[in-house]
Amino acid sequence: MVALNGIKRALTRLLSEAFPEASVFTEDIEQIRAADGKAFPLLHVQLNLQGSELAMGADTRDKTVLVDITYMEESKSSNQTLYDVQERLELTIGGGFFCGDRYLHVESISGNIADDLLHVTFPVAYNDGIPRAGETFDLFEELEIRI
């Protein structure tokens, strides 16, 4: 099962590695300044569940999550800096990212600059199983493939 908090942790880890000079946050922006005073530049990750659809009689859900990554600096940002960060974010996210043992595919990435803030957004669509209480399945002990 892919949980929203799992996606948030995976993105936080990915962005922390790709942007060591920036602080990565997933909590409310108000709390950041009180944290340690060294929050900027920062990347803020926000997830919005766009849809969770269950087909009749199915044991899975098709989910879509909109990821919004905001980049900001303490003082006014230059467009050149914002363009560079947007390109770095696109390269970092690429075609997708791992969340636990699952690879979440990213088909399109959009960027928007407003009020000296960069917003990079992208939808992540995936199919997730619905856990059933008491269901257990035998695992394969050994699998052999001959080509």
Side-chain angles (χ1 to χ4, degrees):
M1 183 169 163
V2 177
L4 291 178
N5 283 323
I7 295 172
K8 187 169 59 170
R9 281 190 298 275
L11 285 169
T12 300
R13 189 171 33 257
L14 181 68
L15 295 173
S16 294
E17 292 170 3
F19 292 86
E21 73 282 4
S23 300
V24 180
F25 292 94
T26 58
E27 298 302 322
D28 295 338
I29 300 291
E30 287 180 343
Q31 299 172 0
I32 292 171
R33 188 175 289 279
D36 62 4
K38 298 179 183 178
F40 296 95
L42 69 84
L43 292 164
H44 181 262
V45 179
Q46 181 70 46
L47 303 180
N48 297 303
L49 182 63
Q50 297 290 295
S52 179
E53 297 180 18
L54 175 67
M56 188 178 300
D59 57 355
T60 62
R61 285 190 174 276
D62 292 325
K63 293 186 177 183
T64 303
V65 175
L66 181 67
V67 178
D68 183 348
I69 300 172
T70 305
Y71 174 81
M72 66 180 78
E73 295 179 326
E74 189 167 18
S75 61
K76 186 175 181 175
S77 301
S78 72
N79 282 342
Q80 182 178 355
T81 300
L82 296 178
Y83 298 151
D84 289 342
V85 171
Q86 181 173 352
E87 289 174 359
R88 286 177 62 195
L89 280 169
E90 288 177 19
L91 290 172
T92 300
I93 302 301
F97 57 95
F98 281 96
C99 179
D101 62 350
R102 302 264 308 263
Y103 185 80
L104 301 179
H105 185 70
V106 175
E107 291 185 21
S108 65
I109 299 175
S110 300
N112 182 32
I113 297 173
D115 297 329
D116 294 320
L117 298 177
L118 169 67
H119 286 274
V120 172
T121 59
F122 54 91
V124 176
Y126 59 96
N127 185 276
D128 208 8
I130 299 172
R132 306 253 186 222
E135 277 190 359
T136 59
F137 299 97
D138 294 330
L139 299 176
F140 287 113
E141 290 183 18
E142 185 176 319
L143 182 64
E144 184 177 319
I145 299 174
R146 294 183 187 193
I147 300 177

